[in-house]
Each structure stands twice: as structure tokens, then as C-alpha cells.
Amino acid sequence: MTETISSFLTADHRACDEEFAQMENEVAENNWENAQKKFDQFNSDLEHHFNMEEKIMFPAFENRTGMVGGPTAMMRMEHEQMRSVVGQMQGDLVSKNKDHFFGLSESLMMLMQQHNMKEEQMLYAMADSHLAEDSSLVVTQMQGLEKV
């Protein structure tokens, strides 16, 4: 049985969540150098996740369904919101502003949880349904997308 789009991207959500928690733990312990390394890894993997969706899965879904202003447009907007918060968090790591960092990380966690729930409960299921015969190709393309 081939891996579904839903199972592949949901597993990637969990990996990003784990990196996020590790980054927060390093900041909590004032391990700023390790926190920066964890942040860089989290940021890279989060951006890779967004790119897998935005460059491969979303276009495949939109081409198949004709839905270009629907759920994928909302997910792209939410990706931009998260990118903005992550960018602000980088500044707090540089200035070692722990309190502001955790304010932002709390906001990011809520955004990610709500976003992931919408994707996992609705969009990914729709993608699996509409792209069923192409799901292994879409997953393979996502797996082959290089990290930036």
C-alpha cells in the first residue's frame, strides 16, 4: 500500500512539532547557542513543509479540483502568518529576549495547532480523495523537494 498524502504530511507536522518543543526547551534553559541551532532546524523544516504543500500538493489539488480560492488559499495565508511570527522569533533569539520569545512561541503554537487541525481533518482528506490515483506520485515529489 502506498503512503497517503495525509499520512505523509501529518507525520511531517509531528516532526516539526517535536523540533519546536526542543527549541523552546533550549530557550527555557537559556542555552542560546543550542536554541539558535534548534531554531534554524525548525525554521528550515517548517519552510520545507510549507514548500512541499505550496509547490507540489496545493497545485496538484487545485488543478484536479479547480478550487483555487478555497482551502489552499486559506492555508497559504496562514503559512504567511506563521512565517511572520517565526521571523520575529529569530530577532528575540539574537537579542536573548526570552519573555517576548515565549509570547511569540505561544502564538505560533496556537496558529500551528489550528492550522494543522484544518489540514489534517479537512484538506489532506480532500487531497487523498481527489488525488487518489496520483497520491504516490505527489508524495514522491514532496519527498524529493530539496530543503532550502
Side-chain angles (χ1 to χ4, degrees):
M1 172 155 165
T2 60
E3 185 169 23
T4 64
I5 293 167
S6 181
S7 63
F8 175 73
L9 289 172
T10 297
D12 202 55
H13 279 167
R14 299 300 161 263
C16 286
D17 290 346
E18 179 59 32
E19 288 175 350
F20 182 83
Q22 291 174 11
M23 173 190 65
E24 283 191 321
N25 290 341
E26 295 296 338
V27 172
E29 297 295 324
N30 295 309
N31 294 331
W32 296 104
E33 191 175 323
N34 285 344
Q36 184 64 58
K37 289 176 186 170
K38 296 290 184 184
F39 174 87
D40 291 343
Q41 186 65 52
F42 166 73
N43 189 30
S44 172
D45 289 349
L46 185 67
E47 191 61 36
H48 184 252
H49 180 85
F50 291 164
N51 284 334
M52 287 191 297
E53 292 178 340
E54 293 174 359
K55 294 180 178 182
I56 297 169
M57 194 274 277
F58 291 176
F61 177 81
E62 291 164 347
N63 289 338
R64 180 65 48 86
T65 64
M67 285 189 257
V68 291
T72 52
M74 176 62 73
M75 296 303 105
R76 283 185 180 97
M77 187 189 77
E78 291 179 6
H79 288 174
E80 288 307 311
Q81 289 176 318
M82 288 183 270
R83 285 177 173 119
S84 174
V85 175
V86 169
Q88 294 173 60
M89 291 168 69
Q90 170 62 52
D92 288 340
L93 281 176
V94 171
S95 64
K96 298 178 173 52
N97 188 339
K98 190 175 184 177
D99 291 339
H100 195 257
F101 176 90
F102 276 112
L104 290 171
S105 74
E106 187 176 325
S107 296
L108 182 60
M109 176 55 76
M110 289 191 322
L111 284 171
M112 287 192 312
Q113 286 175 339
Q114 292 169 354
H115 177 83
N116 292 355
M117 191 170 63
K118 285 184 258 188
E119 285 186 333
E120 292 169 15
Q121 293 181 0
M122 293 186 304
L123 182 58
Y124 293 169
M126 291 169 68
D128 283 338
S129 174
H130 289 286
L131 298 169
E133 64 272 12
D134 297 324
S135 65
S136 62
L137 174 63
V138 171
V139 169
T140 299
Q141 289 175 333
M142 288 190 292
Q143 289 169 329
L145 187 66
E146 289 189 33
K147 290 187 179 184
V148 285

